[in-house]
Amino acid sequence: MPFDTIAHAALVIRKVEDTTHADQPARVVVASRDYPTDIDDLWNAITDKARIPRWFAPVEGDLSLGGKYQIKGNAGGTVTACEPPKSFALTWEFGGGISWVEVELAETGDDNTRLTLRHIAPLDDKSEEFWDRFGPGAVGVGWDLSLLGLAWHLETGEAVQERFAEETWPLSDEGKAFATSSSEAWTAASIAYGTAEEAANRAGADTTAFYTGAAASE
């Protein structure tokens, strides 16, 4: 059966919420979806250093509580909570800024497990400027791509590069269609959150352009 990337994009539930983190106001981009595997297998897939690169990217460092990690070509930080096989949390330090990621797993029956990822950003000037420009899709599309890679790995056992070559897939017709679908879904989540429709659509267009190599909106 073909692996339908757009159908997988539709399986993600997307929300934007307000919260507090370390007693400071923050905004949360939330993505969740179910996977047809048990909680122990899903936990292993997202925490085993030998397995993570098969759907995400190589990770160096210590993934135990209090350990420091570094994702190749991406963020690094500290593991701030870890309760196998249900949840972990970490700082997400990238480009001189810091945000936070929380991941929770919950069994949903019939050997399915729900993964919920929360990416929390402080409501500071830098984060707000980024939000105004790109909205939740800036991080949301990236996480959707990771959740897609995880689905591929769990379904086939193969590495993500076997199906989604980093050098070619993102700008293929299929890759651009997936990014566009994901970006549009995050735009809808932004509007549901309360962002003015015009501003949300403008930010969504810029996010789509970033991920598809198209010209950004003026």
Side-chain angles (χ1 to χ4, degrees), residues 120-141:
I120 306 165
L123 294 183
D124 56 24
D125 290 344
K126 184 175 182 179
S127 293
E128 287 299 271
E129 180 180 356
F130 197 67
W131 171 271
D132 290 343
R133 177 69 190 277
F134 295 108
V139 296
V141 175

Side-chain angles (χ1 to χ4, degrees), residues 118-205:
R118 294 163 50 87
H119 195 145
I120 306 165
L123 294 183
D124 56 24
D125 290 344
K126 184 175 182 179
S127 293
E128 287 299 271
E129 180 180 356
F130 197 67
W131 171 271
D132 290 343
R133 177 69 190 277
F134 295 108
V139 296
V141 175
W143 286 121
D144 281 358
L145 287 164
S146 297
L147 296 178
L148 177 69
L150 180 57
W152 167 258
H153 170 63
L154 290 171
E155 181 173 316
T156 68
E158 296 178 2
V160 70
Q161 286 294 327
E162 297 294 326
R163 175 65 170 77
F164 306 100
E166 185 177 357
E167 299 80 10
T168 56
W169 189 80
L171 296 182
S172 69
D173 288 344
E174 183 187 38
K176 289 190 284 188
F178 179 88
T180 299
S181 175
S182 171
S183 181
E184 289 173 350
W186 282 110
T187 298
S190 184
I191 294 170
Y193 164 69
T195 307
E197 188 169 344
E198 181 180 358
N201 286 330
R202 183 176 61 250

